[in-house]
Amino acid sequence: MSYIEGFVVAVPAANKEAYRDMAAKAATLFHEFGVTRLVETWGDDVPDGKVTDFKGAVQAKPDEVVVFSWCEYPDRATRDAANQKMMSDPRMKEMGTPMPFDGQRMIYGGFETILVDKGGDGRTGYIDGSLIAVPSANKEAYRAMAAKTAPILREHGATRVVESWADDVPDGKVTDFRRAVKATDDEQVVYSWIEWPSKEARVAGWEKVMADPRMEFTMPFDGQRMIFGGFKPILDV
């Protein structure tokens, strides 16, 4: 399965086009370095949570919007080699000066995919993004749950479901994935998303999913700390 580099960023709403332009320029280099797909999505339906949420994960300010994005690689070795090239390539430095967001609050990390359930290829119309803290001992139970729910989601309109397990997720000085979901020492972070043809398909699909009796099961994680939200793609290459 592919390897995922996941990101969550707080971007000033006024800088949306500047962020999109920066990401589009970076995409050309990323593909040169081995990225097979790069997706940037803009916060659209991102609720406040009682314990955790996307805004808190990146300490978003009132004038900022949360961006949920990822790069897909064939494997970790390709990703590691790409990161080395990015750090030394002068084109990357030129591209990020100045950055249209606060890089100190960006959270990022590498994840191994543990499930990919997809239909036809193509650009997505809407994304459900999630971050979850799962006990390490429950990895297989989580994978089994995901394998059960993904086909149901696809049956009700989703085009792709991806679940990825923390593999190279660093601690940050200000923000990071573990802090985002208040992960304990015996937990790992899951970075996952669901792709839909459109927001309308997502709304209709979730109504059917929530009413489906096959979705009744015991979650192998603390649902109160699960972070989720809806995002509109602004770049998918």
Side-chain angles (χ1 to χ4, degrees):
M1 290 188 180
S2 58
Y3 194 84
I4 306 298
E5 185 94 72
F7 302 87
V8 182
V9 191
V11 180
N15 290 354
K16 181 177 182 180
E17 291 307 315
Y19 181 87
R20 191 208 310 264
D21 289 346
M22 181 198 72
K25 292 176 182 176
T28 301
L29 292 182
F30 285 8
H31 282 297
E32 180 183 319
F33 297 152
V35 171
T36 57
R37 186 186 182 199
L38 181 150
V39 180
E40 301 277 357
T41 67
W42 191 259
D44 173 65
D45 180 18
V46 180
D48 295 333
K50 293 182 179 180
V51 182
T52 56
D53 57 39
F54 271 117
K55 296 171 188 174
V58 289
Q59 299 180 12
K61 300 174 182 178
D63 66 336
E64 293 179 327
V65 177
V66 177
V67 168
F68 181 90
S69 63
W70 70 88
C71 295
E72 298 180 29
Y73 292 91
D75 49 47
R76 177 169 176 176
T78 304
R79 174 262 197 173
D80 289 347
N83 280 351
Q84 289 184 350
K85 294 175 183 176
M86 291 176 193
M87 294 297 291
S88 61
D89 196 306
R91 294 173 294 175
M92 289 296 298
K93 296 178 182 179
E94 294 171 4
M95 202 171 298
T97 308
M99 290 193 297
F101 62 91
D102 178 7
Q104 290 188 319
R105 288 182 285 128
M106 177 180 76
I107 62 178
Y108 64 94
F111 298 79
E112 60 170 1
T113 54
I114 58 174
L115 181 138
V116 178
D117 188 313
K118 65 178 182 177
D121 294 330
R123 294 183 178 181
T124 183
Y126 202 82
I127 292 290
D128 271 313
S130 301
L131 305 178
I132 309 168
V134 180
S136 298
N138 290 355
K139 182 177 181 179
E140 290 308 314
Y142 182 86
R143 191 204 308 265
M145 181 201 72
K148 177 182 177 181
T149 59
I152 299 172
L153 286 160
R154 292 246 292 104
E155 181 181 323
H156 294 312
T159 56
R160 191 173 188 232
V161 180
V162 178
E163 304 279 356
S164 61
W165 189 266
D167 174 65
D168 181 23
V169 178
D171 294 333
K173 293 182 179 180
V174 181
T175 55
D176 57 47
F177 276 114
R178 295 188 63 80
R179 276 187 257 190
V181 291
K182 301 186 185 298
T184 59
D185 291 342
D186 66 338
E187 293 178 326
Q188 290 291 352
V189 179
V190 166
Y191 180 97
S192 66
W193 72 87
I194 305 166
E195 301 183 24
W196 302 90
S198 64
K199 184 175 182 178
E200 292 75 19
R202 178 245 198 175
V203 171
W206 272 116
E207 288 182 358
K208 295 174 183 176
V209 169
M210 295 305 290
D212 196 311
R214 294 173 294 173
M215 291 294 290
E216 295 180 5
F217 49 81
T218 301
M219 293 190 296
F221 59 89
D222 178 8
Q224 290 187 319
R225 287 183 285 133
M226 176 181 176
I227 296 176
F228 60 91
F231 298 82
K232 291 183 177 180
I234 57 173
L235 186 70
D236 185 353
V237 294

